[in-house]
Amino acid sequence: AARVTAESGCTSFAVPGTETRSAAAVGDGPHMLAGAPFLRERLAVKEAAENALRAEHSRELAEANEKKASAAAAKSQQVVEFMKGMLAGVVPWTAKGRDTTMLRAILDQTAKRLNSLKDQPTVEADLRAIFGDVYSDLGEYTNAVAMHHEAISIQKKQFGEVHRAVADALSSLAWVHKKHRKWAEAEAVCREELAITRKLSGDEHPW
């Protein structure tokens, strides 16, 4: 009778375990299959949101790094301009016949510290060119040429053999040679500078 009642679906009596099996069967049925796309959609939305957050974080980090780099470049340029202004008084100082012994000593000590700017090659090159001009004004031809050669070497490593910065550095060295009446050296440097200028802008000189 128990078997008949269970098989007839009578709710007044059921074989033990029938309800459990029926629930399990329902759980594996169409309802669960119908919910699968919804779960996939939720996972896709979550993944998209996480990707968007990561992208936003990367953008903010890139902007922060760019601001830091711009600030560092501005600070470096301020240092260069400061040195230019500070050393601009060398020419009138020497013209008045004043003793430059202390000035030379300070210049020598400061020049040695330029090696600490290896991570800022453009700044180092600019400062070496400035120091080269100051040494030239002090009559220190050898030191002046050495400084300008260092500046040229740095610019070439930074920008390549053919670049406006290299041409400008060569022009500064040529000026030092001319000032000290080293005509052959000046001509050789001018030829190198002119060759670069022609490659950059053709035969017509930009000046």
Side-chain angles (χ1 to χ4, degrees):
R3 185 177 66 255
V4 173
T5 305
E7 288 176 352
S8 65
C10 181
T11 57
S12 62
F13 179 75
V15 176
T18 302
E19 295 87 347
T20 303
R21 287 195 299 271
S22 298
V26 172
D28 293 332
H31 294 290
M32 287 296 292
L33 294 176
F38 174 71
L39 291 176
R40 286 197 296 269
E41 183 178 349
R42 288 190 63 184
L43 289 173
V45 171
K46 180 181 178 182
E47 183 178 359
E50 290 175 349
N51 290 336
L53 287 174
R54 284 194 291 268
E56 179 66 16
H57 176 70
S58 298
R59 185 186 64 80
E60 292 177 351
L61 184 61
E63 289 180 354
N65 290 335
E66 184 177 353
K67 288 181 180 179
K68 288 181 180 179
S70 298
K75 183 177 180 180
S76 298
Q77 187 59 38
Q78 288 176 352
V79 172
V80 172
E81 294 301 324
F82 172 77
M83 292 296 295
K84 285 182 179 179
M86 184 180 72
L87 298 173
V90 172
V91 175
W93 184 285
T94 55
K96 292 179 180 179
R98 295 179 179 178
D99 185 11
T100 59
T101 302
M102 183 177 293
L103 178 60
R104 292 168 190 265
I106 295 174
L107 192 64
D108 290 342
Q109 290 298 319
T110 307
K112 292 177 182 179
R113 299 180 63 182
L114 294 178
N115 291 325
S116 64
L117 296 172
K118 294 301 182 183
D119 60 335
Q120 301 181 68
T122 302
V123 175
E124 182 185 356
D126 289 343
L127 289 177
R128 287 191 179 279
I130 293 172
F131 274 63
D133 290 341
V134 174
Y135 274 125
S136 179
D137 292 336
L138 291 172
E140 298 282 349
Y141 172 75
T142 301
N143 286 336
V145 171
M147 279 291 172
H148 278 292
H149 273 300
E150 284 288 338
I152 293 169
S153 177
I154 293 171
Q155 298 289 31
K156 286 182 177 181
K157 289 179 181 178
Q158 183 76 358
F159 302 111
E161 295 286 333
V162 181
H163 193 275
R164 173 52 52 196
V166 176
D168 291 342
L170 288 166
S171 180
S172 296
L173 174 60
W175 177 256
V176 171
H177 286 315
K178 291 178 183 178
K179 186 174 182 178
H180 293 269
R181 298 180 181 277
K182 303 292 184 179
W183 307 118
E185 290 84 350
E187 181 181 358
V189 175
C190 284
R191 288 182 181 278
E192 185 178 356
E193 184 271 336
L194 182 59
I196 293 175
T197 300
R198 284 177 173 172
K199 289 180 180 179
L200 291 173
S201 56
D203 291 336
E204 183 178 353
H205 200 287
W207 304 313

